[in-house]
Amino acid sequence: MVDLLPEVLRRWQAVEAEARQHFRCAGFGEIRTPLLETTDLFCRGIGEATDVVGKEMYSFQDRGDRSCTLRPEGTASVVRAALQHGLLSQGAQKLWYAGPMFRYERPQAGRQRQFHQIGVEWLGAESARSDVEVIALAWDLLARLGVGGLELEVNSLGSPEDRQTYRAALVQWLEQRSEALDPDSQARLSTNPLRILDTKNKDTQALLEEAPTLADALSSESRERFEAVQQGLCTLGIPFRLNPRLVRGLDYYSHTAFEITSDRLGAQATVCGGGRYDGLIAQLGGAATPAIGWALGMERLLLVLEASAQADPDGTAAGLVAGSVPDAYIVNRGAQASAAALALARELRGKGLVVELDDSGSAFGKQFKRADRREARWALVLGDEEAERREVRLKPLQQRGEESVIALTAMAAIVETLQTP
Ligand code: ATP
Ligand code: MG
């Protein structure tokens, strides 16, 4: 679990601000659910045989002897909240969330035990077009942030019946070759065979090249649906690659599944993952309601944002990554000047300007150096002489311009000068 320091959080907030605006334009409203849920919610919602529930949850007994779990993902909680508050009786719900998730995984680059997701859930979305709209929502957010080098992979997991048929075919095929499977995959053969498709083991991957694929098991209805989704993506000009082995880690997915990966992330390449989960709402006690959503990993997003900023220093990503600079840096020295400087800083900050007040009392030269290092646009100079005359000297630092002296009482004139571009 990691601390987030100001340098990172500046970028973080820039990303969240863009996301917030993006979701608002698409008619998605924010939802915040507790970090803690009953363990049972995830067992029922995500599935006992998944890695997340089987190995990765932070669960404990609370003082009332209830089993609680720090949420490992957002979807189950959002569905629970929607059901609990009767939101679905008001029609389809377009929701987004952002916040920490917890999984007991092996920490490495792009993988933490507390990580953060931004996600959307569209409860009540049924048409193939809604799949396209939701995928576009993710794709366009990443484009809006200026993140490059991304690839969208899509697959169809079909209906539950399609998957049943496929599971049987896959198990039969793999059982004849079970000796060639890695131990993890052997274990999954009886618990969660579809997850074998997702293995990171190279030998098993090679073996799977020959295995029957889900695409062959899709009913004609599921196939038509999937074709409509692909057609929709083509119409919007969103490039994608079909990946018949894309299965996703959680049990509740059906039909469209997708991931957005980056070639800049090494092994932890997936920035965003999502798909349709038509069965989940009924499984959690609601009326059967189709739904689709996605989640993107904030930490991985920031890594690709950084890479995009480096690749294109004039691009959008670079603008988001760049730090903000103070409008003014107050250089001050002497008892009277120091008091006047504090009052000036306070007034200017009250007008919304970013003002740094030098606190060192050191020689003017040193203070100017610091102002330069902070890339402040203006130095406001207050020495005993200026303080005595109730004036401040304004000296442009980053831009060309005239130095000027303004009375401390002429606040409007000071603000106007600082705001000249
Ligand atoms: P992975 O295959 O990388 O473990 P996942 O399929 O478990 O991903 P999801 O449950 O789909 O991931 O979560 C969506 C996104 O959240 C991922 O694409 C990734 O960007 C991010 N994510 C998931 N687990 C972690 C983690 N432990 N640390 C950082 N980010 C994570
Ligand atoms: Mg995972």
Side-chain angles (χ1 to χ4, degrees):
M1 299 194 184
V2 296
D3 295 311
L4 298 168
L5 303 179
E7 177 68 14
V8 170
L9 282 175
R10 265 195 309 94
R11 296 164 191 190
W12 196 287
Q13 283 167 0
V15 167
E16 275 188 357
E18 288 293 324
R20 202 171 284 278
Q21 183 68 10
H22 188 62
F23 294 142
R24 197 178 64 82
C25 292
F28 279 68
E30 184 179 2
I31 183 165
R32 298 190 192 189
T33 62
L35 303 192
L36 212 56
E37 298 275 359
T38 59
T39 302
D40 172 61
L41 172 68
F42 302 114
C43 295
R44 282 192 298 146
I46 302 176
E48 305 266 6
T50 60
D51 281 355
V52 170
V53 172
K55 309 190 224 172
E56 299 174 356
M57 293 207 301
Y58 280 92
S59 302
F60 61 95
Q61 300 297 118
D62 74 0
R63 287 172 188 277
D65 211 28
R66 289 165 294 218
S67 179
C68 300
T69 296
L70 284 169
R71 65 180 187 191
E73 54 102 54
T75 306
S77 304
V78 168
V79 169
R80 180 207 43 75
L83 292 176
Q84 189 173 327
H85 300 285
L87 298 185
L88 291 169
S89 63
Q90 300 156 30
Q93 294 289 315
K94 293 178 173 182
L95 302 165
W96 71 272
Y97 60 85
M101 307 292 162
F102 305 84
R103 295 184 194 176
Y104 192 81
E105 301 196 76
R106 192 168 70 77
Q108 52 199 291
R111 197 176 287 289
Q112 302 84 243
R113 289 179 171 173
Q114 176 176 336
F115 62 101
H116 297 74
Q117 289 184 335
I118 296 182
V120 305
E121 314 293 352
W122 183 354
L123 312 180
E126 179 153 36
S127 64
R129 197 185 72 170
S130 63
D131 299 28
V132 179
E133 189 175 347
V134 160
I135 294 173
L137 193 66
W139 186 258
D140 294 343
L141 174 60
L142 293 163
R144 177 179 181 138
L145 295 169
V147 175
L150 296 177
E151 187 172 48
L152 168 65
E153 298 178 14
V154 295
N155 192 21
S156 173
L157 306 180
S159 64
E161 297 76 42
D162 297 342
R163 268 201 315 289
Q164 204 101 52
T165 316
Y166 175 61
R167 185 178 288 130
L170 182 68
V171 168
Q172 194 186 16
W173 192 89
L174 286 173
E175 266 172 352
Q176 289 160 8
R177 296 158 181 83
S178 73
E179 265 150 46
L181 291 175
D182 61 281
D184 246 2
S185 297
Q186 277 175 3
R188 281 181 174 148
L189 205 46
S190 55
T191 56
N192 196 353
L194 291 193
R195 284 293 280 164
I196 298 175
L197 299 180
D198 204 27
T199 179
K200 306 275 189 289
N201 183 290
K202 292 272 179 278
D203 296 332
T204 304
Q205 277 175 354
L207 182 72
L208 285 169
E209 291 291 328
E210 309 291 315
T213 71
L214 242 167
D216 304 326
L218 292 188
S219 67
S220 58
E221 234 181 323
S222 299
R223 191 163 308 165
E224 268 166 36
R225 189 179 196 293
F226 189 35
E227 270 159 21
V229 172
Q230 294 174 53
Q231 189 56 50
L233 290 171
C234 289
T235 306
L236 294 186
I238 297 177
F240 62 91
R241 190 170 72 82
L242 293 180
N243 177 358
R245 308 218 185 289
L246 194 162
V247 285
R248 314 239 345 107
L250 316 178
D251 266 359
Y252 51 58
Y253 287 105
S254 56
H255 294 293
T256 308
F258 67 97
E259 289 190 353
I260 300 175
T261 58
S262 163
D263 52 9
R264 292 173 178 155
L265 281 177
Q268 267 48 256
T270 309
V271 184
C272 176
R276 177 161 281 285
Y277 48 93
D278 291 348
L280 179 65
I281 297 173
Q283 201 172 311
L284 291 179
T289 310
I292 182 167
W294 52 256
L296 64 76
M298 193 67 174
E299 287 82 359
R300 292 186 200 173
L301 172 59
L302 288 177
L303 290 174
V304 288
L305 192 72
E306 197 80 39
S308 298
Q310 268 168 20
D312 179 10
D314 298 321
T316 312
L320 286 173
V321 163
S324 71
V325 296
D327 295 310
Y329 190 97
I330 306 187
V331 170
N332 62 110
R333 190 169 152 86
Q336 211 183 334
S338 144
L342 175 56
L344 178 62
R346 185 167 175 239
E347 260 195 87
L348 292 174
R349 288 169 183 164
K351 306 226 178 288
L353 291 165
V354 181
V355 178
E356 278 192 35
L357 177 59
D358 194 289
D359 219 14
S360 65
S362 52
F364 279 135
K366 280 194 175 164
Q367 296 194 36
F368 271 109
K369 267 207 190 110
R370 269 198 289 274
D372 270 332
R373 224 176 296 136
R374 299 287 296 113
E375 297 179 49
R377 297 177 57 243
W378 290 86
L380 303 185
V381 189
L382 268 165
D384 281 336
E385 218 172 286
E386 285 87 2
E388 189 71 43
R389 285 197 236 121
R390 308 291 305 146
E391 286 173 351
V392 58
R393 199 148 50 85
L394 287 72
K395 188 175 182 313
L397 296 179
Q398 305 298 322
Q399 74 276 40
R400 259 184 289 235
E402 294 291 303
E403 201 174 296
S404 56
V405 176
I406 303 181
L408 279 170
T409 46
M411 196 49 64
I414 298 176
V415 171
E416 194 187 311
T417 308
L418 295 180
Q419 283 174 339
T420 45

